[in-house]
Structures are given as C-alpha cells and as structure tokens.
Amino acid sequence: SSATPGFSVVNWSGKADEAALNGLLVEYKESLLRAKGVLNGRHLELVNGDFIWSDDAPTDHNGLFFALKGDLNQEFFQKLKGIEQ
C-alpha cells in the first residue's frame, strides 16, 4: 500500500521584497508542493518546480498560499515574518 505524505498550508498576506521571498522559496524548494498568489502587483505560481512571476496581478491585493510537505508550516511562516517589510 502507498501512503500519502502529510502536508501543511500557509496563507500569508504580508509585504516583502520579491528577491527576499525568492531566496526563501529556493531554500524550501524541496518541501514546497504548491505556491500561488499575489505580491506587490506580481502574480506567483509554482510550475513544475519553477517559481514563475508575472505582472498580471491586481496591485491592491497581497496574498500568497503555500502547501508544504510534512508539518513545516509554522517554521516557514516564521521565516516569512522574518522577511516582512
């Protein structure tokens, strides 16, 4: 029988520098199952292991969603708080 690994989610609506967030995403690349949302008027999508940014997002809204393997959500959320501006 195959077991489905557990996962945890983070919803975050802070403001941060895109480069700082990219650094965090790369750090957690092996653990991130899903990443999507809007930061500073830019749209983020995790596609086949690559983080794709595009300029088609609303500028009046910030909100990102992450799904991580296991129970890394609290650790990841604390790192997000650490890069907030």
Side-chain angles (χ1 to χ4, degrees):
S1 69
S2 65
T4 302
F7 69 96
S8 53
V9 299
V10 171
N11 285 292
W12 181 69
S13 58
K15 287 186 182 283
D17 179 69
E18 189 177 309
L21 180 60
N22 276 331
L24 188 57
L25 296 178
V26 169
E27 182 183 340
Y28 280 84
K29 188 168 186 165
E30 299 304 314
S31 301
L32 280 164
L33 302 169
R34 192 91 173 87
K36 66 177 182 176
V38 175
L39 177 71
N40 304 334
R42 304 251 294 150
H43 185 250
L44 168 67
E45 189 78 40
L46 175 61
V47 180
N48 298 326
D50 293 319
F51 302 105
I52 309 297
W53 291 91
S54 56
D55 291 323
D56 58 356
T59 54
D60 61 347
H61 170 77
N62 264 359
L64 292 167
F65 168 85
F66 304 96
L68 299 104
K69 295 176 185 170
D71 58 356
L72 290 170
N73 57 329
Q74 294 202 357
E75 174 186 316
F76 187 72
F77 185 74
Q78 288 304 316
K79 297 266 182 126
L80 285 168
K81 297 296 280 183
I83 64 167
E84 273 187 6
Q85 293 180 325

